[in-house]
Amino acid sequence: MVTGHTKLLGIIGNPVEHSLSPAMQNAALTEMGLDFIYLPFSVASRDIEAALLGFEAVGVVGFNVTIPHKQAIVPYLAQQTEVAKAVGAVNTVLYRDGGWWGTNTDVAGFIAPLADPSWGDRTAVILGNGGAARAVVAGLTQLGCGTIHVVGRDQQKLTHFAESWQASSLGVQLTPHLWQSLPELLPQTHLLVNTTPVGMGPQGDRTPVSAEQLASLPQTSLVYDLIYTPRPTKLLQLAQNQGLQTLDGTEMLVQQGAAALALWTQSVTSKPVPVKTMRETLLAHLSC
Ligand code: NAP
């Protein structure tokens, strides 16, 4: 029940109506027994500053940021974590010490299902060089991944992507490649990550990598598609047909949300975030 004491959390984006975060976060808040509510706020790009002033005025505790504001929010923050600076994007904001503090929990979300094996002698190939690829590069660097290749379709964007890490404090080492180099990379690849939208939603019959190309991956490779709808994507179906290990984007979505909720609630409770409830809520909504 919403009361006069209820604390506010939310997500800003445009559009934001289809976000699954409110369902996932409110289910977790209920289970934690906290008098908080998490709401979706559709905010146009020109209104970011006004929204933040309003949030400050009404005492919003924190919020998530989604497309298209993950970069645009940065000038309005008093502080950012090193990982957010390196990624160049913020997806989680907390009001702290009289200002907005931002971080990027997509990085923790991406690596959460990968945490077990030793990555020092592994080679990863990342398809795409957009916003999500930046979180993946930061995450693989945190894991100590030995070799990171990034595959894109535009030489200028690829060069800019590679150069953008030079000033970062994370110590990122990567090699950019155009798409036509993919066949040479695949036989040495332990982890193939799709960060392109190819295969998402209405494009569900498309795959960024063909069955023939997937056949050249070592049999122990893991194919990780950040897309979470459809489940599985065509890419993951083809990989499964070849007996390869697969991961879709649902766990990343759950874990980035869990990391954000832990940050927002750590000053009022020591209860752990109920990740299982968040996962079950997300999967129930995805199967609707
Ligand atoms: P983005 O910034 O627009 O980047 C997309 C990248 O894919 C760009 O490098 C783009 O290349 C490339 N690309 C697009 N269409 C392509 C095609 N037909 N062939 C080859 N490359 C293509 O988008 P994003 O924010 O990184 O999101 C990418 C995907 O990750 C989306 O499907 C999103 O849902 C998913 N994602 C999932 C999670 C999660 O929690 N599971 C989190 C974030 C993102 P150009 O730059 O040359 O156009």
Side-chain angles (χ1 to χ4, degrees):
M1 189 181 65
V2 176
T3 71
H5 300 286
T6 303
K7 293 192 166 59
L8 274 170
L9 297 169
I11 179 167
I12 64 165
N14 189 16
V16 79
E17 293 78 5
H18 302 294
S19 170
L20 298 167
S21 292
M24 209 168 59
Q25 297 287 0
N26 285 313
L29 289 163
T30 302
E31 181 154 334
M32 292 168 87
L34 295 176
D35 190 8
F36 278 63
I37 188 165
Y38 181 106
L39 298 170
F41 296 104
S42 176
V43 175
S45 296
R46 65 176 180 281
D47 293 330
I48 294 177
E49 187 174 9
L52 292 199
L53 287 170
F55 283 179
E56 189 171 3
V58 300
V60 166
V61 172
F63 57 95
N64 282 130
V65 186
T66 189
I67 290 169
H69 305 324
K70 286 186 180 185
Q71 285 89 31
I73 191 84
V74 170
Y76 303 103
L77 303 175
Q79 282 182 62
Q80 278 182 83
T81 55
E82 285 305 317
V83 75
K85 283 184 200 163
V87 173
V90 161
N91 80 326
T92 299
V93 177
L94 171 70
Y95 193 76
R96 183 160 103 176
D97 303 329
W100 296 108
W101 172 94
T103 191
N104 190 311
T105 66
D106 283 335
V107 177
F110 168 73
I111 62 177
L114 296 176
D116 285 343
S118 158
W119 289 95
D121 56 355
R122 307 281 174 105
T123 296
V125 170
I126 303 170
L127 306 173
N129 51 276
R134 299 194 68 81
V136 171
V137 166
L140 290 173
T141 301
Q142 278 188 8
L143 285 178
C145 183
T147 307
I148 302 175
H149 298 290
V150 176
V151 175
R153 59 184 178 175
D154 180 312
Q155 184 63 61
Q156 234 181 335
K157 286 185 186 174
L158 266 176
T159 305
H160 178 71
F161 185 92
E163 287 175 355
S164 71
W165 295 96
Q166 284 168 7
S168 105
S169 58
L170 300 186
V172 168
Q173 301 278 341
L174 63 84
T175 313
H177 303 266
L178 282 169
W179 210 263
Q180 52 264 38
S181 302
L182 187 62
E184 294 150 38
L185 298 173
L186 290 175
Q188 285 84 44
T189 300
H190 301 104
L191 172 67
L192 178 67
V193 188
N194 177 37
T195 76
T196 79
V198 178
M200 183 169 74
Q203 294 185 22
D205 59 341
R206 296 185 58 206
T207 173
V209 183
S210 67
E212 293 71 30
Q213 289 176 318
L214 286 173
S216 66
L217 282 170
Q219 199 56 36
T220 51
S221 300
L222 171 62
V223 181
Y224 189 163
D225 197 338
L226 299 201
I227 296 171
Y228 47 84
T229 172
R231 296 185 73 231
T233 58
K234 179 82 181 278
L235 172 67
L236 296 189
Q237 277 174 39
L238 294 175
Q240 285 160 8
N241 291 347
Q242 299 195 14
L244 299 167
Q245 297 175 71
T246 61
L247 264 177
D248 68 24
T250 50
E251 194 60 17
M252 176 173 174
L253 189 59
V254 169
Q255 297 284 350
Q256 63 76 31
L261 187 56
L263 286 167
W264 297 322
T265 58
Q266 66 189 359
S267 64
V268 293
T269 182
S270 55
K271 283 185 188 168
V273 168
V275 177
K276 185 166 172 275
T277 298
M278 295 178 84
R279 186 181 299 117
E280 284 170 1
T281 306
L282 177 67
L283 294 177
H285 277 76
L286 286 173
S287 61
C288 284

